Amino acid sequence: MKTSKKMFAGALAGVLAVSLAACGKSDSDGSSSSPAASNPGSGASPSASAPASEPAKENITITFQNIYPDPTDPKYKMLHKLVDQYQADHPNIKIELDSLNTDQQKLKLKTQAASKEVPDITIVNPAAQMQPFVDADLFEPLNAMVEQNGLKDTFQPGLLDAYTFNGNLYALPDGNNIAVVYYNKSLFQQAGIANPPATFEELVADVKTLKSKGITPLAIGEKDSWTGSFLFMNILLRTNNGPGFLKDVLAGTKKFDDPAFLDAVNAFQDLVQAGAFQEGATSFDYNAGENLFKTGKSAMYFMGSWATGGIETSDVGKDNNVGVFKFPTVGGKGNPDEFMLAPGSAFAVSKNSKHKQETLDFLNWFMLNYPKEIFELKGAVGIGQKVEGDFKAAGYSQMAIDVLNMFTQVKGGDLAFDNTMNPGTAQAHLTSIQNLFVSKKDAKDVAKEHQDAFDENYKK
Amino acid sequence: MKVLRVKPWTIAAFVGPGLLLYVCLVFVPILVSVYNGMFDWNGIGASEWAGFANFHKMLFNDKVFWPAVNHTLQMAILSLVIQLPVALFVAILISRHVRRANFLVTSYFLPVILSVVVIGQLWKTILNPASQGGMINQILDKIGLHAWTHSWLTEPKYAMYSIILVGLWQYLGYHVLIQFTGIQNIPADIYEAARIDGADGFKADRYITVPMIVPIFKISVVLSFIGSLQSFDRILVMTAGGPAHATEVLASHMYYQSFLSLKYGYGSAIACFLVVFSLAATVVVNLVFNQLEKRYT
């Protein structure tokens, strides 16, 4: 009996030692000999790509994580067309698409990054949102690749700076956008509103008029809480009489209880209290919110200009029915030519990609063909690259051309909150703004929530 | 003491593989979580030792944490006190009055095999405001109860209960199945004997079915309780914890802290709490049922 106990103890200890050792291995960064750990970049399905065989012309799979899941979106069509074409030209290369909506993709990538299993190509957001991934050394620098075939010169000057860290370029943007307000002309007419609002006060008045006619004034997908934040930040850009509020906070020259911030909170609440948004807005995700506008159920929609293509090709966009206006002044403050700026989400290549060279070649080809393809599909408003071609002749709507003209009038602006401050602070901000949709709060309390979160997340 | 007439190494050989898997997939991750909980780490880059700071912050300094515990408990207790008795009642009715019960039990079970995402979307459209096509609100409107209409998922007061309701609906069939099977296993001659003694109908249930089903009922209780503690997907699909944390539960809080706020260490600390909490709940349930079983057997 004694021996049996000992043997059990021995067996258990052995089991524990083996399993602990296994864990220690997978934690170390790629130095172990197990196949799964040495190929951490093999994407969403490591089990499928683990047994690497080496025939003459190797069949390889490139995992392409993207945020174009909506078949009505021109970018979806562009993506599928280009990928099919590339696969036809390169029979040994299979490109596996992992299409997710924006928030899901962000979460998935973070989960994958935690286990060092970043897909070959993935999507990142500029500046502060990208920083942690770059710090963790997950991406391949694209300095050399972007020089090939003259790809670099296709981008708008200065745009790539938002994706460059310590002199290394880590991602290529699919767009460069500004925030605008789209409006449904026939619904405005129905409510007897002649012109789009020129001031925030007019906007609130229009909201009330539309509401009284039973029309949802503004559509929003506030379950994805960045949407409300984007709008709020545009108000702040006005009440602050110009850009740079968050930068001043980061520099320590301003605090969140600044009058500009308080005014912005109050203005935002005016909008909510006037019934601007659809009922139950906080349970609508981004696509559901946008669809309200696209199906003609709401009169206005505040969004980045990336939505132009989708709206243009939707039913509501027919017959020049959708117009667009700049976000108005708030309380007489601010300049409508200052916009919320959104350097687009961008394609990055995993540093641990198993087929790095093929992936880089593909991405280079993809980005070179992207402007032409998307131009033909009428989705070229707000892309980050120069487009050759006559928009009007190509059949772009008046709305799209109006948006393009606004680009030429941009006199600076701010990046979104989560592109400026670190994730911890940004999350607290997003929750705080989401809360304004369901309960009226004192602006000072909102400011305090922000300040507390900021102090906590930037204490070191 | 030699009850088993096999050599120890044989036992080890048979138990070993399973034990190894179990240890690797259950115990090691828990230990790793505890370890990660001691770091200030964003889940991607370098980490920094933080000792018990994360745990301290969780217990004393997090405005979302205790409400999340509260919501989690609400969910667990409400599903316990509403779902299980109803399931037992349904199971008794089925076993007594339905001859070929399979079809009915399968029907009740159907929602369980549906994906939570499908169910979440389905109920979202049912619970939406009337202006967005919500069924419940439209019905309330039609029958003249306009005052009762609410935006069920986005009013902080009701959002949590709406989500609990969906859970009750989905898992009722699961517990009906478990308890129905339990009732089927009670020998028929006991009921016959009872009938001779004058105990029939619900009297027989009170003195025979309920006491004899206690061990099965315990399984239901544990599954329902632990399931509720860990529920996460339903929250994510329906409200994403919103509006403003009104439907945040422990699991979703853990997830958002880890992956959205990039506080992986802190998320791990919450995970540890969840493990301890679940273990404690299981122990309590076991103690209670040991008493009950002693009393009835």
Side-chain angles (χ1 to χ4, degrees):
Chain A
M1 192 195 101
K2 223 175 185 179
T3 44
S4 78
K5 240 187 189 169
K6 259 189 191 163
M7 284 205 53
F8 258 122
L12 259 177
V15 163
L16 273 172
V18 167
S19 54
L20 282 176
C23 287
K25 255 186 197 170
S26 57
D27 272 354
S28 73
D29 30 4
S31 59
S32 85
S33 57
S34 80
S38 61
N39 297 319
S42 52
S45 52
S47 57
S49 50
S53 54
E54 272 150 26
K57 184 87 174 170
E58 197 190 2
N59 281 327
I60 63 172
T61 301
I62 295 173
T63 313
F64 188 170
Q65 192 171 70
N66 66 82
I67 49 171
Y68 310 139
D70 178 4
T72 62
D73 183 355
K75 284 186 174 148
Y76 172 95
K77 293 174 200 155
M78 172 277 304
L79 175 73
H80 283 258
K81 192 172 169 213
L82 285 181
V83 163
D84 288 348
Q85 192 182 334
Y86 196 80
Q87 288 186 134
D89 295 345
H90 303 77
N92 66 320
I93 293 178
K94 184 176 181 313
I95 293 161
E96 196 175 281
L97 294 174
D98 181 16
S99 307
L100 306 156
N101 73 33
T102 313
D103 267 23
Q104 284 170 348
Q105 187 271 339
K106 278 189 198 174
L107 289 171
K108 184 164 181 183
L109 178 63
K110 279 167 191 164
T111 323
Q112 288 170 324
S115 54
K116 307 260 180 221
E117 285 182 3
V118 178
D120 297 312
I121 301 177
T122 187
I123 303 286
V124 286
N125 289 283
Q129 284 200 61
M130 210 177 140
Q131 183 90 47
F133 296 95
V134 172
D135 288 346
D137 199 22
L138 290 168
F139 298 139
E140 178 73 12
L142 305 175
N143 301 3
M145 182 273 247
V146 80
E147 299 289 349
Q148 286 166 21
N149 307 321
L151 178 59
K152 190 175 187 179
D153 296 330
T154 66
F155 285 95
Q156 291 161 8
L159 175 58
L160 295 180
D161 293 350
Y163 311 89
T164 305
F165 298 81
N166 304 320
N168 282 326
L169 171 67
Y170 286 103
L172 299 174
D174 69 349
N176 183 25
N177 288 283
I178 53 175
V180 296
V181 190
Y182 302 92
Y183 72 103
N184 185 324
K185 288 179 187 166
S186 57
L187 287 183
F188 264 54
Q189 233 162 31
Q190 220 172 298
I193 304 169
N195 290 308
T199 65
F200 188 76
E201 294 66 34
E202 270 180 55
L203 176 67
V204 173
D206 288 349
V207 158
K208 287 178 182 156
T209 313
L210 288 160
K211 186 88 183 164
S212 68
K213 293 270 177 348
I215 301 166
T216 303
L218 257 165
I220 195 164
E222 179 60 19
K223 187 182 171 216
D224 295 351
S225 47
W226 61 266
T227 52
S229 156
F230 203 40
L231 174 58
F232 171 79
M233 289 303 292
N234 210 148
I235 298 177
L236 180 59
L237 176 64
R238 299 285 180 265
T239 56
N240 191 45
N241 243 326
F245 180 82
L246 292 183
K247 283 204 176 122
D248 290 344
V249 174
L250 280 168
T253 55
K254 271 187 188 157
K255 292 205 161 215
F256 280 103
D257 57 8
D258 192 273
F261 189 84
L262 299 179
D263 288 350
V265 174
N266 287 327
F268 191 81
Q269 301 217 67
D270 288 346
L271 210 51
V272 174
Q273 300 302 327
F277 305 103
Q278 79 270 22
E279 275 185 278
T282 57
S283 70
F284 280 70
D285 62 25
Y286 170 77
N287 287 323
E290 184 163 306
N291 274 333
L292 281 182
F293 184 77
K294 281 187 186 170
T295 50
K297 290 195 184 111
S298 85
M300 288 180 278
Y301 183 50
F302 172 88
M303 196 33 70
S305 49
W306 60 77
T308 304
I311 289 172
E312 196 176 15
T313 49
S314 71
D315 285 344
V316 77
K318 281 179 185 151
D319 308 322
N320 204 16
N321 181 40
V322 175
V324 62
F325 63 92
K326 297 171 189 169
F327 197 82
T329 56
V330 180
K333 285 185 183 167
N335 178 353
D337 283 337
E338 287 163 350
F339 289 87
M340 286 306 293
L341 305 176
S345 42
F347 304 101
V349 172
S350 165
K351 185 154 213 159
N352 297 315
S353 168
K354 230 173 97 192
H355 310 290
K356 207 184 294 178
Q357 194 50 51
E358 288 87 346
T359 305
L360 288 172
D361 289 345
F362 165 71
L363 188 59
N364 185 281
W365 178 88
F366 179 83
M367 290 313 292
L368 279 170
N369 286 282
Y370 170 68
K372 193 166 74 73
E373 246 0 282
I374 201 78
F375 175 75
E376 280 169 17
L377 288 163
K378 295 202 202 166
V381 174
I383 71 163
Q385 286 157 284
K386 292 165 195 158
V387 183
E388 280 161 29
D390 184 342
F391 280 83
K392 197 144 208 168
Y396 277 77
S397 67
Q398 188 56 42
M399 171 191 67
I401 290 167
D402 288 347
V403 173
L404 283 168
N405 287 335
M406 283 185 194
F407 273 97
T408 63
Q409 296 157 9
V410 175
K411 295 196 174 61
D414 271 332
L415 295 185
F417 196 106
D418 51 2
N419 285 335
T420 317
M421 292 209 170
N422 68 13
T425 317
Q427 281 312 309
H429 157 77
L430 293 174
T431 305
S432 184
I433 297 301
Q434 194 187 45
N435 203 7
L436 298 181
F437 280 82
V438 291
S439 55
K440 194 155 167 46
K441 305 249 310 193
D442 189 343
K444 286 206 182 89
D445 294 339
V446 179
K448 189 174 180 309
E449 280 174 15
H450 279 72
Q451 192 63 41
D452 289 351
F454 176 78
D455 291 342
E456 193 199 326
N457 286 289
Y458 277 102
K459 62 184 158 202
K460 270 172 283 175
Chain B
M1 176 68 213
K2 281 235 160 164
V3 192
L4 298 168
R5 271 185 232 153
V6 243
K7 284 180 188 146
W9 64 264
T10 323
I11 300 176
F14 278 95
V15 174
L19 189 66
L20 184 81
L21 264 180
Y22 187 67
V23 166
C24 261
L25 296 179
V26 177
F27 281 105
V28 173
I30 289 176
L31 291 177
V32 170
S33 283
V34 176
Y35 178 71
N36 281 340
M38 309 258 179
F39 284 90
D40 188 1
W41 183 36
N42 69 5
I44 303 172
S47 55
E48 198 177 301
W49 178 256
F52 286 96
N54 282 331
F55 294 93
H56 185 269
K57 181 185 155 200
M58 173 176 81
L59 295 176
F60 302 106
N61 260 331
D62 183 344
K63 278 185 209 141
V64 184
F65 179 73
W66 287 111
V69 172
N70 190 11
H71 294 148
T72 312
L73 273 176
Q74 255 179 31
M75 203 165 197
I77 290 170
L78 281 181
S79 25
L80 212 64
V81 299
I82 299 176
Q83 192 171 42
L84 298 192
V86 173
L88 182 59
F89 184 67
V90 172
I92 288 175
L93 285 188
I94 292 180
S95 62
R96 182 169 318 140
H97 297 297
V98 184
R99 213 158 258 196
R100 288 187 223 290
N102 281 355
F103 175 74
L104 253 181
V105 174
T106 313
S107 311
Y108 284 128
F109 192 72
L110 205 63
V112 181
I113 57 167
L114 284 178
S115 150
V116 179
V117 180
V118 174
I119 287 184
Q121 293 292 355
L122 175 77
W123 276 89
K124 251 172 94 168
T125 52
I126 294 177
L127 293 167
N128 262 341
S131 61
Q132 307 299 336
M135 190 179 85
I136 290 187
N137 284 324
Q138 283 183 352
I139 292 176
L140 286 175
D141 250 349
K142 287 261 159 64
I143 59 175
L145 288 172
H146 182 77
W148 288 19
T149 59
H150 291 282
S151 177
W152 301 104
L153 283 173
T154 56
E155 284 178 35
K157 235 196 290 176
Y158 303 109
M160 198 65 225
Y161 296 109
S162 305
I163 287 181
I164 293 172
L165 172 82
V166 176
L168 294 184
W169 175 80
Q170 182 177 9
Y171 291 109
L172 180 71
Y174 190 56
H175 297 288
V176 168
L177 179 73
I178 293 176
Q179 288 165 29
F180 174 74
T181 318
I183 293 173
Q184 295 285 297
N185 283 339
I186 300 173
D189 44 357
I190 299 182
Y191 288 104
E192 277 162 28
R195 195 171 303 138
I196 294 167
D197 289 344
D200 208 351
F202 284 103
K203 208 169 186 187
D205 289 325
R206 162 75 182 79
Y207 292 104
I208 301 171
T209 318
V210 172
M212 291 201 74
I213 207 180
V214 164
I216 301 288
F217 202 71
K218 177 173 132 186
I219 296 173
S220 256
V221 168
V222 172
L223 285 177
S224 147
F225 206 79
I226 303 296
S228 300
L229 288 187
Q230 299 176 341
S231 64
F232 163 71
D233 32 14
R234 210 179 332 139
I235 301 276
L236 206 72
V237 172
M238 297 186 67
T239 61
H245 301 307
T247 55
E248 206 76 83
V249 293
L250 275 173
S252 64
H253 188 42
M254 165 186 89
Y255 182 68
Y256 286 126
Q257 286 295 322
S258 305
F259 296 114
L260 274 179
S261 294
L262 288 188
K263 291 175 184 165
Y264 203 90
Y266 186 58
S268 299
I270 300 174
C272 295
F273 181 86
L274 192 54
V275 169
V276 172
F277 200 65
S278 301
L279 279 178
T282 316
V283 169
V284 169
V285 169
N286 270 319
L287 282 177
V288 170
F289 273 88
N290 281 345
Q291 291 301 314
L292 280 179
E293 276 171 42
K294 248 183 228 153
R295 177 131 58 104
Y296 283 116
T297 50

